[in-house]
Amino acid sequence: MQNVMERYQTFRQVVDDITLMNNRFMNKVFDGNIPATQRMLRVILKNDKIKVRKVSVQQWLQNLYGHSAQLDILAEDENGTQFNVEIQRSDEGASVQRARFYCGALDMHFLDKGKKYEALPDAYVIFITESDVFKEGRPIYNVERSINESGKAFGDGSHIVYVNAACQDDTPLGRLMQDFNCNDPAKMHYKELADTVNYFKSTKEGEIDMTDIIEAYAKNKAEEAAHQRNVEVAKDMLADNMSIESVARYSKLSEEEVRALAEKQSA
């Protein structure tokens, strides 16, 4: 009985702590959720005329001859414009090359055979990042192609947007990022998001629907804790002047990680 209670307490703790910055949970909240998706896009793009007509999550864009892409959120508005929204916790996951690839993947997927290039719909690739990827202190970065010689917009319908989730000021976008980082739906600003988050956190049906996320979240936390223990072991071994190879072998870290730790300790 004690084990059952402990497991439920752990389950409840994860449910209470999880936010929309967890991409699995975000996928649950936005899957088929037109009102929440529409509100998010309107705030990020400062366009209250966006009318989302369909939204899906974990959409595979299959490439038979190369790398495929799995999109966190894929939405379409009434004009056929495509919106891909990605949550990225690490800077590496939001590289400019990835943004370029996702733009190309959308283009390849949504231009039907036999159609002219002019029929290609506008497409937005939006990264919501945990930290400021470009280190310029801006809440949002809008990337558009332009002609170097004149500075005029190229106008090809391709748009890349980086949203800095660390910027949580008292603006519509800042309040949206507060919501993405908030674990209590009662304290969220946007009702469209709060209602669905509340469903998953406060109802029995929502709890059941959250089981797979909780298991993955708990596993990830356990792996993070184990990795941190290995890091501490490596630091102690480096302090004793052990070789990079030996530290990597006994700490179970890669040699690259150990070298990075050694550089930090010697700095």
Side-chain angles (χ1 to χ4, degrees):
M1 184 66 177
Q2 184 65 28
N3 287 339
V4 173
M5 288 301 298
E6 288 177 355
R7 288 182 63 187
Y8 183 72
Q9 288 173 357
T10 300
F11 177 89
R12 279 308 318 172
Q13 186 63 53
V14 173
V15 171
D16 291 343
D17 289 346
I18 203 165
T19 72
L20 289 170
M21 288 305 294
N22 178 288
N23 70 327
R24 286 177 177 267
F25 184 51
M26 184 193 72
N27 288 338
K28 283 284 188 185
V29 169
F30 285 93
D31 190 14
N33 191 341
I34 288 177
T37 304
Q38 183 168 279
R39 174 57 58 200
M40 172 180 63
L41 292 174
R42 286 182 172 186
V43 171
I44 291 174
L45 300 176
K46 293 184 178 180
N47 182 357
D48 285 338
K49 294 182 179 180
I50 294 174
K51 293 184 179 180
V52 174
R53 70 182 188 90
K54 63 180 180 179
V55 57
S56 59
V57 301
Q58 294 297 293
Q59 178 76 41
W60 271 102
L61 301 187
Q62 195 71 32
N63 182 354
L64 298 177
Y65 303 103
H67 196 79
S68 297
Q70 186 175 30
L71 311 183
D72 280 349
I73 297 175
L74 181 61
E76 182 179 312
D77 73 3
E78 61 182 4
N79 299 315
T81 301
Q82 303 295 320
F83 305 89
N84 167 220
V85 183
E86 300 286 319
I87 285 287
Q88 292 299 332
R89 304 296 296 270
S90 66
D91 291 356
E92 291 81 5
S95 70
V96 294
Q97 289 80 11
R98 184 171 189 170
R100 171 186 168 187
F101 178 80
Y102 275 35
C103 284
L106 288 173
D107 289 346
M108 292 291 289
H109 191 77
F110 289 105
L111 184 63
D112 293 333
K113 185 177 180 180
K115 291 285 187 179
K116 293 183 177 181
Y117 294 115
E118 289 74 18
L120 196 64
D122 280 12
Y124 289 79
V125 173
I126 301 169
F127 287 111
I128 300 175
T129 61
E130 188 172 49
S131 59
D132 186 356
V133 173
F134 299 110
K135 315 299 183 193
E136 294 182 11
R138 303 178 190 277
I140 191 167
Y141 300 86
N142 288 282
V143 183
E144 304 281 347
R145 288 191 177 98
S146 64
I147 301 170
N148 288 342
E149 287 72 17
S150 65
K152 292 182 179 179
F154 190 52
D156 62 347
S158 176
H159 313 272
I160 297 172
V161 181
Y162 283 80
V163 181
N164 175 13
C167 186
Q168 299 170 34
D169 56 12
D170 191 24
T171 63
L173 181 60
R175 290 191 288 272
L176 181 67
M177 291 304 100
Q178 289 176 40
D179 285 0
F180 266 75
N181 285 279
C182 181
N183 61 9
D184 184 355
K187 296 179 180 179
M188 296 175 76
H189 300 279
Y190 293 100
K191 186 177 185 300
E192 297 91 339
L193 277 66
D195 285 348
T196 311
V197 170
N198 184 65
Y199 164 78
F200 284 112
K201 286 182 175 256
S202 303
T203 70
K204 195 65 179 178
E205 296 81 2
E207 282 189 4
I208 294 172
D209 211 2
M210 286 270 283
T211 302
D212 60 330
I213 295 178
I214 302 308
E215 291 175 351
Y217 185 87
K219 180 181 178 182
N220 185 57
K221 283 295 183 184
E223 290 174 350
E224 287 179 358
H227 181 265
Q228 187 56 42
R229 288 194 295 271
N230 292 339
V231 168
E232 296 304 319
V233 168
K235 287 180 178 178
D236 290 341
M237 295 174 72
L238 288 168
D240 289 337
N241 295 317
M242 294 186 66
S243 69
I244 298 292
E245 293 76 13
S246 295
V247 174
R249 182 163 60 252
Y250 291 111
S251 69
K252 299 180 181 179
L253 299 179
S254 68
E255 290 191 9
E256 285 102 353
E257 287 180 282
V258 174
R259 286 194 181 91
L261 286 173
E263 290 174 4
K264 285 183 180 179
Q265 286 191 335
S266 62

